Amino acid sequence: MRATCLAVLALQAASAVLGSPVPQDQEDGSSLVVTSDPAVDLEQLQTLAAEALQKAQEGVSEDEAARKKRGDTSVDKRSDPPCTLLNLKIRREWGALSKAERTSYINAVKCLQSKPAKTPAQLAPGAKTRFDDFVATHINQTLEIHYTGNFLSWHRYYVWIYEQALQQECGYKGTQPYWDWAKTAVTGLESSPIFDGSATSMSGNGAKIDNQPDIVLGASTGLPPVYLPAGTGGGCVTSGPFKDMSVNLGPVALDLPGGTSAGNPAGALAYNPRCLKRDLTTKINQKYANATAILSNILNPKTVEAFQMQMQGIPGSGNIGIHGGGHYSLGGDPGRDVFTSPGDPAFYLLHGMIDRTWWMWQSLSPITRQFTSSAISGTNTFMNSPASPNTTLTDFIDLGFSGGPNRQIKDVLSTVSGPFCYVYI
Ligand SMILES: *[C@@H]1O[C@H](CO)[C@@H](O)[C@H](O)[C@H]1NC(C)=O
Ligand SMILES: *[C@@H]1O[C@H](CO)[C@@H](O)[C@H](O)[C@H]1NC(C)=O
Ligand SMILES: *[C@@H]1O[C@H](CO)[C@@H](O)[C@H](O)[C@H]1NC(C)=O
Ligand SMILES: [Cu+2]
């Protein structure tokens, strides 16, 4: 059944890119057997997703070979190499990596932090390193990449270009790992392999600051604010590979109590070297980004609009979504700052998980959710403020000095076509 559906997908993928109308696909999530354990269901979904997309890709390749045989070159317009099982890359959860693999990832991140920036100093005086190029790009575009039509696709391409930089500029042989919040909600952040502060972690908590007030989110918007508990750290990170790293850019909006933003008065892109701060808050992880929350975000939304809103938290709903749950459970500076958050190297593991969640959701209805105009929804500005045009499949993603080339959104909607060839395990 599934194979037939996927062969159809192959044909439709090609026609979607060429602009012809695409017939409806079938929901492909029917093979999921929902159990009483959301963690088990998520594992199952992941396996189904990898399977569905791999088979789809085989279909695409077979189809291409057949067309070539007939002398039909109409699909050869795409410049990217086909994604096959031979070049498929696997992204894995941090805890599933060996210690040697974790160390090589950490070393590559440190390598990016030691190479000079490509961003011209007059554009972003605070961008000192290649790592900072990514932070500067994100700060510069924050209001056009969150609560927008490109939120998911922009961050997918951004994390991939970061992964490419680690590989091509710093000799990293592995892939971008991810932080599975379902796991850390159970173990607690402080004792997880990502944040336990060991030499093979992404560094641990910040130094403990006593009596930190609750965080109040959205106090200035007129909507009911969300109160988040303070965590178990709050100060400078004291352990692990990144304890001496310098955070060079921002902050822009730390959402301090009372609705004050605490941005750097010298400017968002000014040079402002300081320690990396964290405030690990397992309670936030448990409340907003547990296995049930992730599963519900994958199974319930039927449109991408609903999917991305549930993920980012519907303002005024009191729920910050799994995206917010991940970010605020890390906390600190720049972790808690929507603009500057990629300045904490754990950001890329967090957004690996965002991408993985989207990928699982897409695999449940692969045609509609990867290859049609229903794959995206939203406008080009944060909550459409100020009002802006709807995002379209042919809009470009421009990652500035982080890397490129600029890519149209339609080319980054599938992890197994266009420039990409990866799945999650
Ligand atoms: C910020 O965005 C503007 C407009 O796209 C661009 O011209 C500029 O180069 C960007 N700055 C950085 C630091 O990327
Ligand atoms: C798990 O997440 C859901 C959805 O956010 C929430 O309603 C539930 O209370 C959470 N469970 C715990 C134990 O906090
Ligand atoms: C923009 O998208 C909304 C929601 O999907 C839709 O109702 C509206 O017609 C679109 N506007 C244009 C100009 O296409
Ligand atoms: Cu972001």
Side-chain angles (χ1 to χ4, degrees), residues 226-243:
V226 180
Y227 295 87
L228 299 174
T232 51
C236 297
V237 162
T238 58
S239 58
F242 299 103
K243 75 176 163 61

Side-chain angles (χ1 to χ4, degrees), residues 254-336:
L254 282 175
D255 281 316
L256 292 179
T260 46
S261 88
N264 178 16
L269 298 172
Y271 184 44
N272 184 23
R274 59 200 189 281
C275 72
L276 172 66
K277 289 184 180 172
R278 281 189 186 148
D279 192 18
L280 297 182
T281 318
T282 298
K283 280 183 188 160
I284 295 178
N285 185 168
Q286 286 171 340
K287 182 160 181 197
Y288 299 105
N290 61 42
T292 305
I294 300 164
L295 187 65
S296 135
N297 207 139
I298 295 171
L299 294 184
N300 293 338
K302 297 301 173 210
T303 64
V304 70
E305 172 68 8
F307 173 79
Q308 67 198 12
M309 284 310 288
Q310 181 170 337
M311 175 176 259
Q312 294 170 100
I314 297 164
S317 70
N319 194 322
I320 59 175
I322 56 177
H323 174 253
H327 277 290
Y328 288 102
S329 71
L330 181 61
D333 171 19
R336 203 214 280 173

Side-chain angles (χ1 to χ4, degrees), residues 65-130:
R67 264 192 301 263
K68 276 213 182 100
K69 226 168 162 182
R70 291 198 308 268
D72 176 356
T73 53
S74 60
V75 289
D76 288 346
K77 281 174 190 156
R78 66 186 218 175
S79 51
D80 299 297
C83 177
T84 69
L85 286 180
L86 294 176
N87 56 356
L88 187 70
K89 298 281 193 295
I90 311 281
R91 287 188 178 174
R92 290 183 296 152
E93 192 262 322
W94 183 260
L97 304 183
S98 70
K99 289 199 168 162
E101 288 168 332
R102 289 180 213 162
T103 302
S104 69
Y105 179 79
I106 290 162
N107 287 343
V109 174
K110 291 187 130 181
C111 158
L112 274 194
Q113 293 180 333
S114 72
K115 287 193 185 288
K118 292 185 179 169
T119 311
Q122 66 271 23
L123 278 181
K128 298 294 186 192
T129 72
R130 274 297 283 141

Side-chain angles (χ1 to χ4, degrees), residues 146-167:
H146 301 101
Y147 287 106
T148 49
N150 67 2
F151 166 68
L152 294 161
S153 52
W154 193 95
H155 286 82
R156 170 172 285 171
Y157 193 40
Y158 180 70
V159 171
W160 188 79
I161 288 289
Y162 182 79
E163 183 184 40
Q164 292 278 298
L166 294 173
Q167 292 167 346

